[in-house]
Amino acid sequence: MTGKARVRFAPSPTGSLHIGGAHTALFNWLYARRNGGSFILRIEDTDMERSTKEYEQSILDGMRWMGLDWDEGPDKGGDFGPYRQSERMDLYRKYAKQLLDEGKAYEKDGAVFFKVVPGKELRFRDEVYGNLDFKSENASVNHDGTIKDIVIMKRDGMPTYNYAVVIDDYTMGINMVIRGEDHIINTPKQLLIYDALGFEAPGFAHLPMILGKDKKKLSKRQGATSVFEYNDMGYLPDGVFNFLALLGWSPKNGQEIFSREEAVEMFDISAVTRKAAVLDMDKLNHINQEQMKIMDPMKLLAVIRPFWIEMGFDLSGLSDEYLASALHTMGGRGQTTKQLAEYSDYFVTFDVVKARYDASEIKEETRAVVKKFYNALLSECAEWKADKMEEFTKEWIAANDSSMKEVCLPLRWALTGRKVSPGVFEVAEQLGRDECRRRLEYYDLV
Ligand code: GLU
């Protein structure tokens, strides 16, 4: 590869951005950013029947959601436009004519066929798969093994993928093609066309296949789903980015949790593996949780808020500071934003607590003890801070022949309506003394 790196992501707008596409886009982006090059977005919309503007928009939105910005593209322009294949018909016609004029192609039944000449060695070095050799007579074959000339322009006047991709990659100055390994088989066909037109071929790097946990090709359920569905399931863009970057690659230092900037810093295309990568949702959950832990609290709040609203909560009376601090109090619980929104619901509204808990299990003698304690805590604990409350509690139970369990269990239930929560005094501190009193009063515990 010579000159500044120019790579491209070339999706067909026949569906939303799914995990496989996002993975390819991400590796192109990493390569461009790592090498100070350009990342180009080209829309391959020659399948007129299946391509839609809505899918194109959804792909662009999906890339933005992932934090993958591009330097040239249909929405941005650039020196090598247009960036939609449907707008580049002149180029496809021009080079088809050249091939026809030079006797390298012929017309039949209204289509243009590229003549595959046998006896040519086709070699290329793949950054991932190493040196690959093919013979031209094997590049495109019929079922019986005989050579099959390559259709470059179809009867309807549209170019085929293997032809348009060559014209575009060449005329757009692409010097490194990074795409899924399912395209290795197409590369010899493309090399024949580069050669016939006298174009210098780009470098190639094919990415390993992504398999479902069952080791089978990704099904619709397993990742062929749009990246937005990952958002709805509670995954952060940072989490999905981190997870996808680790499919087929890992940093030399073994670091597992990283930011985009760190990934750019560490990325090395030659360290990409050939082995198929398995889409492991447990790993995604783990990475997502770690990314939530290191996220800026206000940014985390921004992604949690829609989930709370969807759960029907009214957030109008609660400050951003209070809500962000409540999330912080959760101490890294929850693997997805959706889970975190659910687990922390009692900080947003007491209604959910009331719906879950009725305090009917508290025996009369226990009630008398805890009432005494909660009254003391509310009125005598000088500072409403977790460590101070804990200290106060320890002294009180020692003096009153009670136990942590006896006084804290009903307190946790009354404040959260849950069996499991962060430390009960942390929860109490976050809710504030008045709100704690209100909740305890409701349960007749003060
Ligand atoms: N439009 C093709 C695809 O989505 C692009 C393949 C390539 O990168 O050459 O598979």
Side-chain angles (χ1 to χ4, degrees):
M1 192 191 84
T2 46
K4 194 169 152 271
R6 286 181 61 80
V7 295
R8 82 316 190 262
F9 174 51
S12 303
T14 53
S16 303
L17 184 67
H18 52 76
I19 283 298
H23 182 252
T24 302
L26 174 90
F27 277 67
N28 275 282
W29 182 88
L30 280 173
Y31 186 89
R33 297 295 170 255
R34 171 72 196 146
N35 295 291
S38 297
F39 176 42
I40 291 109
L41 177 60
R42 180 175 72 228
I43 299 296
E44 303 212 323
D45 59 348
T46 53
D47 183 342
M48 304 287 259
E49 263 165 41
R50 292 172 57 229
S51 299
T52 71
K53 279 270 178 257
E54 288 72 28
Y55 282 137
E56 177 183 318
Q57 191 54 48
S58 157
I59 290 169
L60 268 59
D61 292 343
M63 288 177 65
R64 286 194 194 99
W65 181 80
M66 292 265 303
L68 305 176
D69 58 326
W70 52 98
D71 306 299
E72 300 167 28
D75 58 325
K76 273 198 132 171
D79 294 341
F80 297 81
Y83 292 89
R84 278 186 201 95
Q85 288 191 324
S86 60
E87 295 163 17
R88 299 172 68 81
M89 292 304 298
D90 289 354
L91 284 166
Y92 310 134
R93 287 192 202 108
K94 175 182 144 186
Y95 289 107
K97 183 167 182 303
Q98 182 182 323
L99 290 169
L100 285 167
D101 290 348
E102 293 174 354
K104 293 171 180 168
Y106 58 90
E107 268 177 292
K108 196 177 149 200
D109 301 330
V112 180
F113 287 76
F114 175 83
K115 267 190 228 164
V116 177
V117 181
K120 278 193 180 179
E121 294 286 336
L122 301 168
R123 278 207 183 93
F124 71 98
R125 204 195 117 63
D126 190 288
E127 293 291 323
V128 177
Y129 288 82
N131 292 324
L132 298 174
D133 293 310
F134 296 87
K135 288 195 167 44
S136 60
E137 55 268 34
N138 300 329
S140 173
V141 290
N142 291 302
H143 282 305
D144 63 2
T146 55
I147 291 181
K148 184 180 179 185
D149 288 339
I150 301 165
V151 178
I152 56 173
M153 297 292 279
K154 291 181 284 184
R155 247 182 17 193
D156 65 2
M158 298 306 280
T160 57
Y161 158 68
N162 277 310
Y163 171 63
V165 78
V166 169
I167 303 305
D168 290 334
D169 283 342
Y170 177 75
T171 55
M172 289 181 164
I174 302 301
N175 47 23
M176 178 59 76
V177 167
I178 303 171
R179 59 188 173 192
E181 64 101 64
D182 50 328
H183 284 293
I184 288 185
I185 179 183
N186 289 320
T187 310
K189 296 188 190 101
Q190 295 169 15
L191 289 174
L192 283 171
I193 300 172
Y194 277 106
D195 183 59
L197 287 166
F199 295 165
E200 191 193 334
F204 292 95
H206 287 91
L207 304 171
M209 197 143 78
I210 303 176
L211 301 176
K213 212 168 184 177
D214 53 4
K215 303 278 160 73
K216 293 208 185 100
K217 255 192 107 164
L218 281 189
S219 65
K220 212 154 187 92
R221 275 185 52 238
Q222 272 191 322
T225 41
S226 109
V227 293
F228 291 113
E229 289 176 48
Y230 282 77
N231 178 66
D232 297 344
M233 288 187 278
Y235 296 104
L236 297 171
D238 291 355
V240 175
F241 179 102
N242 189 162
F243 172 66
L244 288 183
L246 288 172
L247 288 183
W249 174 74
S250 55
K252 273 201 186 67
N253 66 4
Q255 191 176 335
E256 203 181 39
I257 304 301
F258 44 74
S259 66
R260 286 181 183 70
E261 294 72 27
E262 288 173 307
V264 167
E265 230 4 56
M266 300 184 291
F267 186 68
D268 175 5
I269 190 94
S270 67
V272 171
T273 62
R274 302 173 196 184
K275 215 178 118 213
V278 175
L279 195 88
D280 177 353
M281 292 302 279
D282 294 336
K283 186 156 183 190
L284 172 58
N285 286 332
H286 164 70
I287 291 174
N288 199 63
Q289 181 165 29
E290 294 306 312
Q291 287 287 352
M292 284 202 292
K293 285 184 195 166
I294 54 178
M295 200 167 181
D296 171 79
M298 283 298 171
K299 284 200 181 129
L300 184 58
L301 172 59
V303 291
I304 297 292
R305 190 187 293 275
F307 286 101
W308 278 333
I309 291 172
E310 207 185 295
M311 288 158 80
F313 300 160
D314 174 15
L315 307 174
S316 56
L318 304 164
S319 74
D320 286 359
E321 287 68 28
Y322 169 81
L323 292 171
S325 163
L327 293 175
H328 181 74
T329 304
M330 293 305 292
R333 283 170 176 76
Q335 293 194 304
T336 61
T337 46
K338 199 176 175 170
Q339 280 177 348
L340 177 56
E342 283 165 16
Y343 295 172
S344 60
D345 58 359
Y346 49 84
F347 285 125
V348 183
T349 169
F350 184 38
D351 293 344
V352 293
V353 182
K354 291 192 238 176
R356 282 197 289 260
Y357 182 61
D358 62 9
S360 61
E361 91 293 359
I362 305 178
K363 297 199 180 68
E364 270 325 300
E365 60 266 38
T366 310
R367 192 176 285 269
V369 177
V370 298
K371 249 185 170 175
K372 211 172 135 205
F373 167 67
Y374 299 149
N375 273 315
L377 183 72
L378 286 167
S379 56
E380 291 163 34
C381 186
E383 245 188 301
W384 204 249
K385 291 262 177 272
D387 52 342
K388 297 282 187 282
M389 285 183 242
E390 190 170 349
E391 228 172 89
F392 182 92
T393 307
K394 277 183 183 151
E395 280 166 28
W396 194 91
I397 57 175
N400 292 271
D401 198 22
S402 177
S403 70
M404 271 290 178
K405 203 174 149 203
E406 187 176 36
V407 296
C408 288
L409 225 58
L411 181 60
R412 184 193 302 276
W413 276 108
L415 297 184
T416 70
R418 291 187 187 280
K419 197 173 161 191
V420 185
S421 78
V424 68
F425 299 122
E426 270 87 29
V427 171
E429 176 181 337
Q430 174 62 35
L431 286 168
R433 200 189 297 251
D434 292 344
E435 182 61 20
C436 289
R437 188 192 310 275
R438 184 169 85 97
R439 294 187 182 193
L440 290 166
E441 268 169 8
Y442 173 85
Y443 289 113
D444 191 23
L445 290 169
V446 282

